[in-house]
Amino acid sequence: MKILVLNSGSSSLKYQLIDAETEEVVAKGLAECVGVAQRQGRIIQETKRDGKVVFDAEMDCHDEAMTRVFALLTDPSKGVVQRVEEIVAIGHRVVHGGEKFVQPTLITDEVLAGVEKMSQLAPLHNPPNLDGIRACLRLMPGIPQVAVFDTAFHATIPDYAYMYALPYDYYTAFGVRRYGFHGTSHQYVTGIALEMLAKDGIEREASRIVTTHLGNGCSMAAVKGGRVVDTSMGLTPVEGLVMGTRSGDLDPAILVYLARRLEASVSDIDRIINKESGLQGLSGLSSDMRDVEEAAAKGHARSELALAVFCYRIRKYVGAYAAAMGGLDAIVFTAGIGENSPVVRERVCRGLGFLGVELDAKKNETERGHAVNLATPASRVRVLLIPTNEERMIARETMRVIAGLSAPAPRVTEP
Ligand code: AMP
């Protein structure tokens, strides 16, 4: 029994085939340059038997990419699956579920139409997700497919935390509110953090956890009693922390000011805050934290500034979320930067002694690749390094839906 997990992005298609019982990754791969005329498309697939193999492949669209991936996975000579029936379900990452989809949901025509409607809220993300789903429905019509939404874990946020102080009608008419993203990652690391806290006698209902997903995109969540009560990304993934190329929090009037000064169009502003800001914009050097850290260590002033702004923003949110939850038991660091950067973790935790955070400097430098507490024994707050695994979480949620344990019926409140 295997679950195929798909993450279909604007010009790529990532996949993992996961054994439903052992959670072992049987095969994983990436189809890149999908629909990019100027560059040679290719599929990089990794299996235990063959290691990493690169296949050149022209792929005009996601349907073509999925056709190639399907052929690779089911080619008997590659030894991944012998029969298509071994794949019992397909789990799709879908970025925006809006208020309608707050649970992983079995895909039907009605659900597809609902996800399509959500494309208004996520015009860059939901359409390629849908393309991947449609391709799978055509190629594997008999296999149940489940949409796992990036927004769903945040559905428990109360109204006073998700509402923006804009005219109320924009919420009812256009769905303008905080939704939050990276939910699958926050959910996965929360599960492990709760297990670690339980060993110290802190039960789920009493727990107060701040999860920080620091990758190319960055977000945080305040998780009280196992449920999200606030998160840093908003209507879109631009709000909140400083990211690789996204600005995070801004005075909204800056955009009006810049539009006037630059005589910029809406799409210019969109590009500036999504592609030209964050670490890239501040450092002027790179959107990659490794480059920024290296340059800062060599005295590059703007990289040092980028690093300082990045870490200060996270520290500020830790304080805000501790206040939102009435205390703090654990800070979780995950994703590329959170899992691998002792510098960022140290800078975030520095000055949080008043909250009871005491990082163990040695552990912070040396631990990597597994779930571990980086705080000193005396620290009141645990500092948890937890490697994320969104694909595993999607596979679990997909199994949960097809096992009938969760009610797949969507809530019927329209944004
Ligand atoms: P992700 O989106 O989770 O793949 O994370 C990508 C980010 O993680 C990039 O900014 C990388 O520079 C950063 N990253 C990966 N490894 C390290 C490392 N050893 N030190 C600092 N940042 C890292």
Side-chain angles (χ1 to χ4, degrees), residues 213-217 287-290 293 335-337 340-341 368:
H213 176 108
L214 309 177
N216 194 32
S287 62
D288 192 299
M289 184 52 95
R290 280 164 294 200
E293 278 185 18
I337 300 170
N340 296 300
S341 174
R368 188 164 286 192

Side-chain angles (χ1 to χ4, degrees), residues 127-296:
N129 298 159
L130 278 163
D131 290 343
I133 294 173
R134 290 205 178 93
C136 287
L137 286 171
R138 185 181 69 72
L139 289 159
M140 296 166 268
I143 300 178
Q145 312 212 16
V146 173
V148 180
F149 298 92
D150 243 28
T151 44
F153 187 53
H154 303 300
T156 47
I157 295 175
D159 54 4
Y160 57 81
Y162 72 63
M163 283 305 291
Y164 295 108
L166 287 165
Y168 191 81
D169 287 354
Y170 298 143
Y171 167 59
T172 48
F174 306 129
V176 174
R177 54 158 282 184
R178 174 182 314 287
Y179 293 95
F181 300 89
H182 293 145
T184 310
S185 176
H186 289 287
Q187 184 180 4
Y188 181 78
V189 298
T190 293
I192 295 173
L194 285 171
E195 284 170 18
M196 293 168 88
L197 287 178
K199 285 187 187 143
D200 289 345
I202 299 173
E203 292 307 328
R204 181 190 183 95
E205 281 310 313
S207 65
R208 297 152 307 179
I209 304 171
V210 167
T211 51
T212 70
H213 176 108
L214 309 177
N216 194 32
C218 300
S219 66
M220 288 173 65
V223 189
K224 190 177 185 198
R227 289 174 290 277
V228 181
V229 293
D230 206 348
T231 192
S232 60
M233 284 177 167
L235 172 78
T236 77
V238 183
E239 195 182 350
L241 305 181
V242 176
M243 314 186 204
T245 59
R246 294 189 197 123
S247 63
D249 292 337
L250 291 175
D251 171 355
I254 291 172
L255 307 181
V256 180
Y257 175 73
L258 281 180
R260 289 198 184 114
R261 291 299 301 255
L262 298 169
E263 294 182 15
S265 66
V266 171
S267 52
D268 290 334
I269 295 290
D270 197 41
R271 189 190 67 249
I272 293 167
I273 58 172
N274 274 291
K275 306 260 185 229
E276 298 173 2
S277 299
L279 295 175
Q280 174 70 53
L282 278 169
S283 73
L285 199 76
S286 173
S287 62
D288 192 299
M289 184 52 95
R290 280 164 294 200
D291 299 335
V292 173
E293 278 185 18
E294 202 181 306

